[in-house]
Amino acid sequence: MTTFTRVLLNERRRGGRHLLLNPEAMHAAISAAFPPDTSKEHGRILWRVDHHKAKHEHVLYIVGPEKPTVEHIVEQAGWDTRPGQIADYDRFIHAIQNGQQWHFELVANPTKSIPQSRGTRGKVVPLTTVNTQLNWLLENAPRHGFSVSSDDIVTARVIESHLLSFQRNSHQSRNMVCITTARFEGELTVVDAAALRHTLMNGIGRARGYGCGLLTLAKRDSRW
């Protein structure tokens, strides 16, 4: 069962600030919400944090292939009076049909691969300007089941872009990780329902373990 989880985060708590500022720590906390034998056969574990300035809210969204246990995140970084909200996401996903139009939001890690000499893998570099990031979305949207252009009018925009830098700890060393993120929003049209269903469960692009790749849909007159 694919689930969609919503957790309110409290930036005034030390644990809340720690998770909001450190994608490695957030990744670890979300991984701990699922059993270690969770299978990726029916989708990946995806997450995203949305900041609603008008409401002074920080909302963590998680999509996963089974029901998570998020009490430790609430205890560490949320409010005891606001437990995590977990919903069955399958019914929504399976209702996706060609031709539907949705408002969408997406935080992604737009990149491109630069060919190297024969026999070596291409070098992956970040896309850092609004135009290149938007072109990345336009180029990748069709294979993910949707379109963000109509009659030569682009129906998506980049509303913010950030460079995330943090330490990633491994058993052998500590490495500095730098990820360029772009937050997209706008209107999309479903062109391949099966592909879009797969995208909703598996994400888009790189850095999906660090808060990128989760596409969310809402009715055009509402927001998540």
Side-chain angles (χ1 to χ4, degrees):
M1 178 183 73
T2 306
T3 57
F4 188 95
T5 301
R6 182 177 184 270
V7 180
L8 291 177
L9 301 178
N10 184 353
E11 67 174 344
R12 296 182 180 179
R13 298 184 66 174
R14 182 178 179 181
R17 292 193 300 274
H18 180 58
L19 293 187
L20 287 168
L21 295 173
N22 190 329
E24 176 76 1
M26 183 72 84
H27 170 72
I30 292 170
S31 295
F34 293 86
D37 62 349
T38 299
S39 173
K40 294 183 180 179
E41 181 180 354
H42 300 294
R44 296 183 53 141
I45 298 171
L46 305 168
W47 63 272
R48 189 181 83 216
V49 175
D50 286 2
H51 309 280
H52 302 297
K53 295 181 181 179
K55 299 179 181 179
H56 302 286
E57 284 186 350
H58 304 276
V59 185
L60 169 64
Y61 296 115
I62 307 170
V63 167
E66 60 180 274
K67 183 179 179 179
T69 300
V70 295
E71 286 82 359
H72 65 291
I73 299 177
V74 175
E75 181 179 350
Q76 175 186 354
W79 283 270
D80 294 339
T81 56
R82 299 292 186 272
Q85 298 173 298
I86 303 174
D88 182 347
Y89 205 31
D90 281 334
R91 184 174 181 181
F92 175 83
I93 289 174
H94 293 312
I96 298 295
Q97 299 294 330
N98 289 346
Q100 291 176 341
Q101 294 182 319
W102 296 91
H103 177 83
F104 80 92
E105 292 196 29
L106 166 70
V107 172
N109 171 222
T111 61
K112 68 177 179 179
S113 180
I114 299 177
Q116 303 293 295
S117 59
R118 182 176 297 179
T120 61
R121 298 178 63 181
K123 180 181 179 181
V124 177
V125 298
L127 301 175
T128 59
T129 68
V130 168
N131 285 340
T132 57
Q133 291 170 348
L134 192 55
N135 285 335
W136 174 88
L137 182 63
L138 287 165
E139 293 170 2
N140 282 273
R143 70 186 182 92
H144 287 287
F146 63 94
S147 171
V148 288
S149 63
S150 177
D151 297 325
D152 295 325
I153 297 175
V154 177
T155 58
R157 63 192 181 107
V158 178
I159 59 174
E160 60 184 23
S161 183
H162 296 288
L163 176 62
L164 302 179
S165 298
F166 57 94
Q167 291 280 355
R168 180 170 60 192
N169 299 321
S170 68
H171 295 297
Q172 299 178 338
S173 63
R174 298 179 66 189
N175 302 313
M176 178 62 72
V177 177
C178 296
I179 299 173
T180 298
T181 69
R183 183 178 289 270
F184 303 92
E185 74 165 13
E187 314 298 326
L188 66 75
T189 301
V190 183
V191 296
D192 183 337
L196 182 55
R197 293 185 197 112
H198 184 272
T199 298
L200 292 172
M201 294 186 292
N202 291 276
I204 300 175
R206 297 175 178 273
R208 281 176 273 182
Y210 295 106
C212 296
L214 173 57
L215 173 71
T216 56
L217 307 180
K219 292 181 179 179
R220 297 176 66 186
D221 58 352
S222 65
R223 301 291 185 268
W224 281 109

Coordinates of all heavy atoms in Angstrom, one line a residue, residues 57-96:
E57 N 4.5 27.7 8.9 CA 4.5 26.3 9.0 C 5.7 25.7 8.2 O 6.0 26.2 7.1 CB 3.2 25.7 8.5 CG 2.0 25.8 9.4 CD 0.8 25.1 8.9 OE1 0.8 24.7 7.7 OE2 -0.2 25.0 9.6
H58 N 6.2 24.6 8.7 CA 7.1 23.7 7.9 C 6.5 22.3 7.9 O 6.3 21.7 8.9 CB 8.5 23.7 8.6 CG 9.1 25.0 8.8 ND1 9.8 25.7 7.9 CD2 9.1 25.8 9.9 CE1 10.2 26.8 8.3 NE2 9.8 27.0 9.6
V59 N 6.2 21.9 6.7 CA 5.4 20.6 6.5 C 6.3 19.6 5.8 O 6.8 19.9 4.7 CB 4.1 20.8 5.8 CG1 3.3 19.6 5.8 CG2 3.3 22.0 6.4
L60 N 6.5 18.5 6.4 CA 7.2 17.3 5.8 C 6.2 16.4 5.2 O 5.2 15.9 5.8 CB 8.0 16.6 6.9 CG 8.6 15.2 6.5 CD1 9.6 15.4 5.4 CD2 9.2 14.5 7.8
Y61 N 6.4 16.1 3.9 CA 5.6 15.2 3.2 C 6.4 14.0 2.9 O 7.6 14.1 2.5 CB 5.1 15.8 1.9 CG 4.1 16.9 2.0 CD1 4.5 18.2 1.6 CD2 2.9 16.8 2.6 CE1 3.6 19.3 1.7 CE2 2.0 17.8 2.8 CZ 2.4 19.1 2.3 OH 1.5 20.1 2.5
I62 N 5.9 12.8 3.1 CA 6.6 11.5 2.8 C 5.6 10.6 2.0 O 4.5 10.4 2.3 CB 6.9 10.8 4.1 CG1 7.7 11.7 5.1 CG2 7.7 9.5 3.8 CD1 7.9 11.1 6.4
V63 N 6.2 10.1 0.9 CA 5.5 9.0 0.1 C 6.3 7.8 0.3 O 7.5 7.8 0.1 CB 5.3 9.4 -1.3 CG1 4.9 8.2 -2.2 CG2 4.3 10.6 -1.5
G64 N 5.7 6.6 0.6 CA 6.4 5.4 0.7 C 5.5 4.2 0.3 O 4.3 4.3 0.2
P65 N 6.2 3.0 0.1 CA 5.5 1.8 -0.3 C 4.8 1.1 0.8 O 4.1 0.1 0.5 CB 6.6 1.0 -0.9 CG 7.8 1.4 -0.1 CD 7.7 2.8 0.2
E66 N 4.8 1.6 2.0 CA 4.0 1.0 3.1 C 3.9 2.1 4.2 O 4.4 3.2 4.1 CB 4.7 -0.2 3.7 CG 6.1 -0.1 4.3 CD 6.6 -1.4 4.8 OE1 6.3 -1.7 6.0 OE2 7.3 -2.1 4.1
K67 N 3.1 1.7 5.2 CA 2.8 2.7 6.3 C 4.0 2.9 7.1 O 4.6 2.0 7.7 CB 1.6 2.2 7.1 CG 1.1 3.2 8.2 CD 0.0 2.6 9.0 CE -0.5 3.6 10.1 NZ -1.7 3.0 10.8
P68 N 4.4 4.2 7.3 CA 5.6 4.5 8.2 C 5.2 4.7 9.6 O 4.0 4.8 10.0 CB 6.1 5.8 7.6 CG 4.8 6.5 7.1 CD 3.9 5.4 6.6
T69 N 6.2 4.7 10.5 CA 6.0 5.0 11.9 C 6.8 6.3 12.1 O 8.0 6.4 12.0 CB 6.6 3.9 12.8 OG1 6.0 2.7 12.5 CG2 6.5 4.3 14.2
V70 N 6.0 7.4 12.3 CA 6.7 8.7 12.4 C 6.6 9.3 13.8 O 7.0 10.5 13.9 CB 6.0 9.7 11.4 CG1 6.2 9.2 9.9 CG2 4.5 9.8 11.6
E71 N 6.3 8.6 14.8 CA 6.2 9.1 16.1 C 7.5 9.7 16.6 O 7.6 10.7 17.3 CB 5.8 8.0 17.1 CG 4.3 7.7 17.1 CD 3.9 6.7 15.9 OE1 4.9 6.3 15.2 OE2 2.8 6.3 15.8
H72 N 8.7 9.1 16.2 CA 10.0 9.6 16.6 C 10.3 11.0 16.0 O 10.9 11.8 16.6 CB 11.1 8.6 16.2 CG 11.3 8.4 14.8 ND1 10.3 7.7 14.0 CD2 12.3 8.7 13.9 CE1 10.8 7.7 12.7 NE2 12.0 8.3 12.7
I73 N 9.8 11.2 14.7 CA 10.0 12.5 14.1 C 9.1 13.6 14.8 O 9.6 14.7 15.1 CB 9.6 12.4 12.6 CG1 10.5 11.4 11.9 CG2 9.7 13.8 12.0 CD1 10.1 11.3 10.4
V74 N 7.9 13.2 15.2 CA 7.0 14.1 15.9 C 7.6 14.4 17.3 O 7.7 15.6 17.7 CB 5.6 13.6 16.1 CG1 4.7 14.5 16.9 CG2 5.0 13.3 14.7
E75 N 8.1 13.4 18.0 CA 8.7 13.6 19.3 C 10.0 14.4 19.2 O 10.2 15.3 20.1 CB 9.0 12.2 19.9 CG 9.6 12.3 21.3 CD 9.9 10.9 21.9 OE1 9.5 9.9 21.3 OE2 10.6 10.9 22.9
Q76 N 10.8 14.3 18.2 CA 12.0 15.0 18.1 C 11.8 16.4 17.5 O 12.5 17.3 18.0 CB 13.0 14.2 17.2 CG 14.3 14.9 16.9 CD 15.1 14.2 15.8 OE1 14.8 13.1 15.4 NE2 16.2 14.8 15.4
A77 N 10.9 16.5 16.6 CA 10.9 17.8 15.8 C 9.5 18.4 15.6 O 9.4 19.4 14.8 CB 11.6 17.5 14.4
G78 N 8.5 17.9 16.2 CA 7.2 18.4 15.9 C 6.5 18.8 17.2 O 7.1 19.4 18.1
W79 N 5.1 18.6 17.2 CA 4.3 18.9 18.4 C 3.6 17.7 18.8 O 3.0 16.9 18.0 CB 3.3 20.0 18.0 CG 3.7 21.4 17.9 CD1 3.8 22.3 18.9 CD2 4.2 22.0 16.7 NE1 4.3 23.5 18.4 CE2 4.5 23.4 17.1 CE3 4.4 21.6 15.4 CZ2 5.0 24.3 16.2 CZ3 4.9 22.6 14.5 CH2 5.2 23.9 14.9
D80 N 3.5 17.4 20.1 CA 2.8 16.2 20.6 C 1.4 16.3 20.3 O 0.7 15.2 20.2 CB 3.0 16.1 22.1 CG 4.5 15.9 22.5 OD1 5.2 15.4 21.7 OD2 4.8 16.1 23.7
T81 N 0.8 17.5 20.2 CA -0.6 17.6 19.9 C -0.9 17.5 18.4 O -2.1 17.7 18.0 CB -1.1 19.0 20.4 OG1 -0.4 20.0 19.8 CG2 -1.0 19.0 21.9
R82 N 0.1 17.4 17.5 CA -0.1 17.3 16.1 C 0.6 16.0 15.6 O 1.7 16.1 15.0 CB 0.5 18.5 15.4 CG -0.2 19.8 15.8 CD -1.6 19.9 15.3 NE -2.2 21.2 15.6 CZ -2.8 21.6 16.7 NH1 -2.9 20.7 17.7 NH2 -3.3 22.8 16.8
P83 N 0.0 14.9 15.8 CA 0.6 13.6 15.3 C 0.6 13.6 13.7 O -0.1 14.4 13.1 CB -0.4 12.5 15.8 CG -1.7 13.2 16.0 CD -1.4 14.6 16.4
G84 N 1.5 12.7 13.2 CA 1.5 12.6 11.8 C 0.2 12.1 11.2 O -0.5 11.3 11.8
Q85 N -0.1 12.6 10.0 CA -1.3 12.2 9.3 C -0.9 11.3 8.1 O -0.1 11.7 7.3 CB -2.1 13.4 8.8 CG -2.5 14.4 9.8 CD -3.1 15.7 9.3 OE1 -2.4 16.4 8.6 NE2 -4.4 15.9 9.5
I86 N -1.4 10.1 8.1 CA -1.1 9.1 7.1 C -2.3 8.7 6.4 O -3.3 8.3 7.0 CB -0.4 7.9 7.8 CG1 0.8 8.3 8.6 CG2 0.0 6.8 6.8 CD1 1.4 7.2 9.4
A87 N -2.2 8.8 5.0 CA -3.4 8.4 4.2 C -3.0 7.3 3.2 O -1.8 7.3 2.7 CB -3.9 9.6 3.5
D88 N -3.9 6.5 2.8 CA -3.7 5.6 1.7 C -3.7 6.4 0.4 O -4.6 7.1 0.0 CB -4.9 4.6 1.7 CG -4.8 3.5 0.6 OD1 -3.9 3.7 -0.3 OD2 -5.6 2.6 0.6
Y89 N -2.5 6.3 -0.3 CA -2.3 7.1 -1.5 C -2.7 6.3 -2.8 O -2.8 6.9 -3.9 CB -0.8 7.4 -1.6 CG -0.5 8.7 -2.4 CD1 -1.3 9.8 -2.5 CD2 0.8 8.8 -3.0 CE1 -1.0 10.9 -3.2 CE2 1.2 9.9 -3.7 CZ 0.3 11.0 -3.8 OH 0.6 12.1 -4.5
D90 N -2.9 5.0 -2.7 CA -3.1 4.2 -3.9 C -4.4 4.6 -4.6 O -4.5 4.7 -5.8 CB -3.3 2.7 -3.5 CG -1.9 2.0 -3.3 OD1 -0.9 2.5 -3.9 OD2 -1.9 1.1 -2.5
R91 N -5.5 4.9 -3.8 CA -6.7 5.3 -4.4 C -6.6 6.5 -5.3 O -7.1 6.6 -6.4 CB -7.8 5.5 -3.4 CG -9.2 5.8 -3.9 CD -10.2 5.8 -2.8 NE -11.5 6.1 -3.3 CZ -12.6 6.2 -2.6 NH1 -12.5 6.0 -1.2 NH2 -13.8 6.4 -3.1
F92 N -5.9 7.5 -4.8 CA -5.6 8.7 -5.5 C -4.8 8.4 -6.8 O -5.1 8.9 -7.9 CB -4.9 9.8 -4.7 CG -4.5 11.0 -5.4 CD1 -5.4 12.0 -5.6 CD2 -3.2 11.2 -5.9 CE1 -5.1 13.2 -6.3 CE2 -2.8 12.3 -6.6 CZ -3.8 13.3 -6.8
I93 N -3.7 7.7 -6.6 CA -2.8 7.4 -7.7 C -3.5 6.7 -8.9 O -3.4 7.0 -10.0 CB -1.6 6.6 -7.3 CG1 -0.7 7.5 -6.4 CG2 -0.8 6.0 -8.4 CD1 0.5 6.8 -5.8
H94 N -4.3 5.7 -8.5 CA -5.0 4.9 -9.5 C -6.1 5.6 -10.2 O -6.7 5.1 -11.2 CB -5.5 3.6 -8.9 CG -4.4 2.6 -8.5 ND1 -3.3 2.3 -9.3 CD2 -4.2 2.0 -7.3 CE1 -2.5 1.5 -8.6 NE2 -3.0 1.3 -7.4
A95 N -6.5 6.8 -9.7 CA -7.6 7.6 -10.3 C -7.0 8.5 -11.4 O -7.8 9.2 -12.1 CB -8.4 8.4 -9.3
I96 N -5.7 8.5 -11.5 CA -5.1 9.4 -12.5 C -5.5 8.9 -13.9 O -5.3 7.7 -14.2 CB -3.5 9.4 -12.4 CG1 -3.2 10.0 -11.0 CG2 -2.9 10.2 -13.5 CD1 -3.5 11.4 -10.8

